[in-house]
């Protein structure tokens, strides 16, 4: 059975360290937890190569994966299937972790979506990158976070667009609860206006 994940997070590198960080080789030996991340080992050995690789990920029509590097801030948001996730998870973890030695701070969350329940967190602070599996209470907390809700809403918008359903009903528009055809969740949907 295949599964999907949602992922989101960001990190910031001090502006003075940005160029050095982008071009410095990554030392994998300093990341003993990398094997726990799994996935396909990447051939890229510097952050700028990882950014280029992550920008070219092939996706199914209903999935999305955005990595945006704006000055010294890098943000990530995605909804990926199992195969695409395995292709990018190690490269994404390396990209985040590589910034720690240059003063990078931030977090990356990976959460199993719908058919599978797991959570992982990569935290950058104090010159270190720490990876850990989330327990049930921590996972529930992440799933209630505003960042998770934003990605979840984007997943539903993506499916709605693919099936031609209009967005959530606004004030004064007729609406009904329906079962979403892809996710199986109950959602509010605008009713079509009568001719």
């Amino acid at each position: 059975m295949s599964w999907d994940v949602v992922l989101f997070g960001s990190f910031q590198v001090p502006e003075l360290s940005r160029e050095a960080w982008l071009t410095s080789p990554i030392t994998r030996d300093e990341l003993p937890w990398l094997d726990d991340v799994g996935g396909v080992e990447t051939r890229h050995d510097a952050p700028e190569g990882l950014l280029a690789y992550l920008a070219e990920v092939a996706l199914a029509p209903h999935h999305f994966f955005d990595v945006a590097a704006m000055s010294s801030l890098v943000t990530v948001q995605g909804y990926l299937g199992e195969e695409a996730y395995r292709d990018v998870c190690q490269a994404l973890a390396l990209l985040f972790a590589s910034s720690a030695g240059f003063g990078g701070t931030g977090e990356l969350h990976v959460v199993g979506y719908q058919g599978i329940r797991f959570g992982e967190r990569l935290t950058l602070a104090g010159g270190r990158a720490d990876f850990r599996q989330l327990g049930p209470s921590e996972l529930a907390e992440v799933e209630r976070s505003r960042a998770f809700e934003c990605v979840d809403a984007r997943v539903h918008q993506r499916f709605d667009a693919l099936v031609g359903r209009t967005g959530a009903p606004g004030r004064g528009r007729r609406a009904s609860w329906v079962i979403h055809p892809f996710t199986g969740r109950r959602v509010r949907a605008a009713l079509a206006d009568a001719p």
Side-chain angles (χ1 to χ4, degrees):
M1 179 174 95
S2 66
W3 40 268
D4 296 319
V5 299
V6 295
L7 46 91
F8 54 91
S10 65
F11 68 90
Q12 189 152 4
V13 177
E15 191 64 43
L16 294 173
S17 303
R18 184 176 183 274
E19 286 302 316
W21 163 67
L22 279 172
T23 58
S24 294
I26 300 168
T27 309
R28 295 169 195 262
D29 298 339
E30 296 173 3
L31 308 170
W33 47 262
L34 198 55
D35 289 338
D36 295 338
V37 172
V40 176
E41 188 172 315
T42 181
R43 299 181 318 259
H44 303 282
D45 63 352
E48 62 186 354
L50 292 171
L51 282 167
Y53 169 74
L54 292 170
E56 299 296 322
V57 176
L59 301 172
H62 59 287
H63 289 138
F64 59 88
F65 182 65
D66 300 320
V67 178
M70 299 162 284
S71 187
S72 61
L73 177 67
V74 176
T75 60
V76 175
Q77 192 178 76
Y79 168 57
L80 301 172
E82 178 182 5
E83 187 175 328
Y85 173 68
R86 290 186 192 280
D87 287 344
V88 303
C89 63
Q90 200 163 112
L92 190 58
L94 279 171
L95 179 67
F96 269 68
S98 68
S99 72
F102 294 89
T105 57
E107 280 188 331
L108 172 67
H109 289 94
V110 177
V111 178
Y113 192 72
Q114 300 292 329
I116 187 170
R117 188 153 167 84
F118 76 93
E120 300 170 341
R121 177 183 293 141
L122 178 58
T123 304
L124 311 173
R128 294 178 37 106
D130 294 309
F131 174 83
R132 57 185 295 250
Q133 303 286 329
L134 299 178
S137 62
E138 294 171 305
L139 179 55
E141 185 179 323
V142 169
E143 290 172 333
R144 288 189 304 269
S145 72
R146 179 75 179 125
F148 180 87
E149 289 175 358
C150 288
V151 177
D152 186 49
R154 189 170 170 197
V155 170
H156 287 283
Q157 289 170 351
R158 184 73 164 208
F159 282 128
D160 287 342
L162 288 171
V163 297
R165 183 177 297 143
T166 59
R171 293 195 186 279
R173 292 181 61 195
R174 296 178 334 132
S176 175
W177 287 100
V178 297
I179 302 298
H180 198 285
F182 291 108
T183 65
R185 288 188 175 180
R186 273 185 54 167
V187 295
R188 298 260 312 151
L191 294 175
D193 294 328

